[in-house]
Amino acid sequence: MRRETLRPNTLRSGPDERGRFGIFGGRFVAETLMPLILELDQAYEAAKADPEFRRELDYYLKDYVGRPSPLWHARRLTAELGGARIYLKREELNHTGSHKLNNVMGQILLARRMGRTRIIAETGAGQHGVATATVCALFGMKCVVYMGATDCERQKPNVFRMRLLGAEVHAVTTGAGTLKDAMNDAMRDWVANVADTYYLIGTVAGPHPYPAMVRDFQCVIGDETRVQLHEVEGRLPDAVVASIGGGSNAMGIFHPFLDDASVRLIGVEAAGRGLDSGEQAASISRGRPGVLHGNRTYLLQDEHGQIQEAHSISAGLDYPGIGPEHSWLHDIGRAEYVAITDDEALAAFQLCTSTEGIIPALECAHALAHVAKIAPAMGKDEIIVMNLSGRGDKDIFTVAEHLGVSL
Amino acid sequence: MSRIAARFAALRQAGRGALIPYLEAGDPDLDTAAAILRGMPGAGADLIEIGVPFTDPMADGPTIQAASKRGLLAGATLGRTLSMVASFREHDVDTPIILMGYLNPIDSYGPARFCADAGRAGVDGLIVVDLPSEEADLLENHAAEHGLDIIRLVAPTTDEVRLPTVLQGSSGFIYYVSITGVTGTRTASEADLVLALPNLRKATDLPVAIGFGIRTPAQAAAAVRVADGAVVASALIETLAKSLDRHGQAGPDTVSLVLDQVRMLAEGVRTARVGAQVKEIVA
């Protein structure tokens, strides 16, 4: 309410006091966790209001994470596609190789303020798990990461990195052994260890305040992009494109542009083997609203409300849900959500590598594939910014397999 | 008076606590689950809790997760669970039935339509694990309109400041989650319960049933010495699971093994307070 009074007519004021963005969001958790969520909400509000917390976070973001990340004018890619000027926001240059560390740094400082000593996290591709294990090593905290057994298998290097960093990695064998199942087990752990444990969620989903808090910590991406693009181009971009699993990298770059009506915001979901193949992870394109993991949002589900398994070539995208604020942005028409197949992402992965000398994570190869679709039809005076949210070292085994190369 | 209120009033009159066994709808198949349900009152169940399978049972341990998965494979849906209750009601008009599950299947069915169908099928109460009081307006009015009690969970983490919020709008009975953790893992000590229950009693006149971690007749007896009822779930499901063949099909003795265990638990619950009184006299 207070924020609405301060900033009228803004799309950036959500969520409301119940943690909702329109009908989405909320707090759908078991009673055992409810007091913890309310405590977290209070602790986060207090931290936000404390200039010392901001100073501490800024210090670590600059000297440890390596911010600001560059905004790279991808000239060869632009020439290759022959249309809009393409800029890449280089989040893959952050320490640990993805945007995940922005959020993790914010939350670990919060966990320390709250006096927690044990950190749990869930991870799909391992980017969030590696980021979490990293800050736990930095601050000497106990770290437990839940990761689907299938994901452990296809992301072996990240599992090894987490273990090197001192984290316990639990391979989750229920369901399809992917991110959804890892999230269930992290929640089970949290219920059983409420006294000393902080659950460090890696995306803009989960019960309130997580979607808003993770978004706030990721907004540094969009805030920097505005300033950097203004310096080189003197204006706003025409389109901002980002890949969507849970949606944290997209929300981080979208949010600071929400009130700029001239900027198209485009989220790219994983169409897997095709939107109608039954093997995809496009929650908005092929899901409907429901409740899972503490929030109401678009979900892949059958007619009985049972959650369906998601599929994507990228372990970081195959989650059957999406952050609730994205669901709301979709429903009010502020952001567009499209889908890219495994094959299209693979082609874009190679395009980026060969033209710019940057190996992108398969997640952002999805965003790039969409850029490759729209850029040629746009004018040469138009600007697209794409969030290059992670580096692709972790994905070279998957890519090699699909290219028929044995490593 | 609702069936739940009537049953607890009768039990209070009789001076004993309630045994509330649990079964998962469709586990291991629709017919076997229905047979277990039919046999439970005769075996000593005072109220019955039926789990509605969900793909992502976040608050449940491995035992109920597995049961949920078997139920889904066997084709259990919310609609079929209601049909099972309706069939049960043709032979039993007294034993209260409580459905326990997660919000999304209900949300997908439509809360208004679900409450109407559940009331018509003979369901008496609902426990929706991931629907805390703050979000309960989604279901409350529809439930009240069709005579369904909303049974709230109270956890060890629920402090005295929060308790009134949790209790507001709750009816039937209070489900006290005796441990912080998922179902079927640990067991609360009687000392923990003796500490926790008086605070809860001060805040509500509703009966209190204890669940999570009660496995043996002795533990069930301990629970009803401090509370009005004991819920037993994972221990019964383990018995069922052990009786299945390697394809997960029910064996010839699946139903009788589960019901025998219900009988033993009922015996524990029925003699709990008698034993306690004798001990006090001897002491």
Side-chain angles (χ1 to χ4, degrees):
Chain A
M1 291 296 277
R2 184 171 49 84
R3 274 177 297 182
E4 273 177 2
T5 320
L6 281 175
R7 300 197 52 174
N9 301 322
T10 172
L11 295 174
R12 302 192 65 190
S13 63
D16 66 14
E17 66 278 9
R18 292 181 73 174
R20 293 189 182 177
F21 305 91
I23 65 160
F24 301 103
R27 294 182 176 112
F28 297 90
V29 294
E31 173 57 25
T32 309
L33 293 180
M34 208 50 205
L36 279 86
I37 302 247
L38 296 172
E39 184 196 357
L40 175 62
D41 195 18
Q42 284 178 0
Y44 178 54
E45 288 300 318
K48 262 200 305 197
D50 180 358
E52 186 46 45
F53 180 75
R54 191 68 242 181
R55 261 196 298 279
E56 194 183 14
L57 179 57
D58 286 345
Y59 163 74
Y60 284 106
L61 286 179
K62 175 172 170 287
D63 289 348
Y64 191 76
V65 179
R67 302 211 68 91
S69 69
L71 184 69
W72 171 245
H73 181 193
R75 288 182 184 81
R76 291 242 298 143
L77 190 61
T78 299
E80 177 82 21
L81 296 171
R85 281 200 292 288
I86 298 162
Y87 283 85
L88 304 176
K89 180 62 174 162
R90 303 284 308 274
E91 289 299 301
E92 101 283 10
L93 291 179
N94 290 336
H95 180 45
T96 74
S98 79
H99 71 291
K100 294 288 187 186
L101 200 56
N102 304 326
N103 161 52
V104 162
M105 195 50 90
Q107 286 198 56
I108 197 86
L109 296 179
L110 186 62
R112 276 158 56 90
R113 275 172 80 101
M114 294 174 75
R116 297 293 194 268
T117 54
R118 180 176 177 268
I119 304 293
I120 56 170
E122 83 295 328
T123 196
Q127 292 186 142
H128 174 60
V130 167
T132 304
T134 299
V135 294
C136 287
L138 178 66
F139 292 112
M141 288 163 90
K142 188 171 167 48
C143 181
V144 177
V145 179
Y146 289 89
M147 186 167 180
T150 309
D151 289 341
C152 286
E153 188 51 42
R154 55 181 173 172
Q155 299 289 341
K156 276 182 193 157
N158 273 343
V159 174
F160 183 59
R161 285 165 82 195
M162 284 184 266
R163 291 193 168 133
L164 279 177
L165 290 159
E168 244 177 67
V169 182
H170 286 273
V172 178
T173 52
T174 50
T178 57
L179 183 55
K180 168 174 86 95
D181 313 297
M183 201 149 177
N184 289 335
D185 267 23
M187 289 188 111
R188 290 186 181 109
D189 179 313
W190 199 21
V191 174
N193 298 288
V194 290
D196 63 344
T197 298
Y198 182 95
Y199 181 16
L200 209 162
I201 291 184
T203 194
V204 287
H208 177 69
Y210 284 102
M213 179 169 68
V214 176
R215 171 200 74 199
D216 293 348
F217 289 137
Q218 291 294 3
C219 273
V220 65
I221 305 172
D223 288 335
E224 283 178 10
T225 301
R226 287 182 76 94
V227 173
Q228 290 167 321
L229 194 68
H230 190 80
E231 278 168 11
V232 291
E233 293 278 0
R235 68 177 183 91
L236 291 167
D238 297 286
V240 174
V241 182
S243 63
I244 308 254
S248 73
N249 92 76
M251 194 52 73
I253 197 165
F254 286 0
H255 211 261
F257 292 103
L258 283 187
D259 291 332
D260 302 302
S262 68
V263 182
R264 285 175 70 189
L265 304 174
I266 307 172
V268 184
E269 300 190 302
R273 298 200 167 94
L275 274 182
D276 298 315
S277 67
E279 292 180 273
Q280 39 84 22
S283 321
I284 285 189
S285 303
R286 285 294 179 272
R288 61 188 168 88
V291 174
L292 180 71
H293 293 151
N295 60 165
R296 179 181 296 281
T297 194
Y298 275 84
L299 295 173
L300 299 179
Q301 52 181 321
D302 69 13
E303 75 267 35
H304 301 295
Q306 302 295 345
I307 309 302
Q308 291 170 326
E309 300 294 348
H311 163 85
S312 166
I313 189 173
S314 163
L317 297 183
D318 67 355
Y319 179 66
I322 182 169
E325 195 167 8
H326 283 295
S327 294
W328 177 68
L329 291 176
H330 166 72
D331 274 16
I332 63 169
R334 176 60 189 96
E336 303 158 49
Y337 293 88
V338 297
I340 285 293
T341 64
D342 290 350
D343 289 343
E344 290 171 322
L346 269 173
F349 178 95
Q350 292 167 277
L351 176 69
C352 185
T353 304
S354 62
T355 57
E356 293 296 332
I358 298 170
I359 301 178
L362 276 174
E363 288 89 330
C364 14
H366 285 73
L368 193 74
H370 190 67
V371 168
K373 277 188 183 172
I374 63 171
M378 289 168 72
K380 287 188 190 300
D381 55 342
E382 293 190 280
I383 297 167
I384 301 177
V385 176
M386 190 203 106
N387 195 9
L388 188 61
S389 60
R391 64 170 195 240
D393 308 35
K394 67 183 175 66
D395 294 316
I396 55 170
F397 300 96
T398 307
V399 173
E401 194 187 315
H402 282 268
L403 298 178
V405 177
S406 109
L407 291 182
Chain B
M1 197 189 289
S2 77
R3 260 192 289 258
I4 292 175
R7 179 54 55 102
F8 275 108
L11 288 166
R12 197 169 299 132
Q13 199 91 45
R16 67 176 185 87
L19 173 69
I20 312 177
Y22 175 104
L23 74 146
E24 189 78 21
D27 178 27
D29 58 75
L30 300 172
D31 290 344
T32 305
I36 291 171
L37 176 61
R38 262 198 316 276
M40 274 184 168
D46 297 302
L47 296 83
I48 299 168
E49 193 179 322
I50 300 175
V52 180
F54 182 51
T55 39
D56 295 81
M58 280 101 58
D60 287 301
T63 305
I64 294 185
Q65 271 185 72
S68 196
K69 197 172 169 186
R70 286 192 298 267
L72 287 172
L73 275 174
T77 59
L78 202 44
R80 282 179 174 155
T81 306
L82 295 181
S83 303
M84 177 171 75
V85 176
S87 309
F88 172 81
R89 279 280 169 253
E90 289 169 15
H91 307 283
D92 186 318
V93 291
D94 299 319
T95 309
I97 298 280
I98 296 117
L99 295 192
M100 179 159 185
Y102 293 79
L103 180 59
N104 202 52
I106 295 174
D107 194 61
S108 180
Y109 197 99
R113 182 174 148 242
F114 167 70
C115 288
D117 289 358
R120 201 174 304 127
V123 172
D124 303 291
L126 304 174
I127 301 174
V128 186
V129 180
D130 53 354
L131 191 71
S133 347
E134 281 81 353
E135 304 285 356
D137 51 356
L138 181 75
L139 210 55
E140 262 166 1
N141 290 341
H142 304 303
E145 193 183 326
H146 298 284
L148 300 169
D149 285 319
I150 296 269
I151 294 149
R152 288 274 163 72
L153 303 176
V154 171
T157 49
T158 314
D159 62 20
E160 284 169 45
V161 181
R162 178 167 168 73
L163 198 49
T165 309
V166 177
L167 295 175
Q168 192 175 20
S170 67
S171 56
F173 63 92
I174 301 296
Y175 190 121
Y176 183 69
V177 176
S178 63
I179 52 158
T180 54
V182 293
T183 51
T185 47
R186 288 180 286 148
T187 304
S189 73
E190 199 164 350
D192 290 339
L193 297 176
V194 168
L195 281 176
L197 266 289
N199 283 333
L200 191 49
R201 295 286 197 197
K202 260 184 273 167
T204 179
D205 293 329
L206 289 171
V208 177
I210 297 177
F212 282 46
I214 299 176
R215 313 183 59 82
T216 65
Q219 286 164 352
V224 298
R225 276 198 285 272
V226 294
D228 305 292
V231 179
V232 181
S234 295
L236 291 170
I237 293 173
E238 278 166 25
T239 299
L240 176 141
K242 274 186 215 146
S243 76
L244 304 179
D245 69 17
R246 62 194 175 88
H247 304 293
Q249 303 295 310
D253 55 355
T254 295
V255 175
S256 61
L257 283 171
V258 173
L259 295 180
D260 285 349
Q261 195 177 358
V262 172
R263 244 172 239 116
M264 287 192 300
L265 290 160
E267 180 66 19
V269 163
R270 278 157 206 254
T271 55
R273 294 189 195 163
V274 177
Q277 279 158 10
V278 170
K279 254 190 262 168
E280 274 161 31
I281 294 161
V282 173

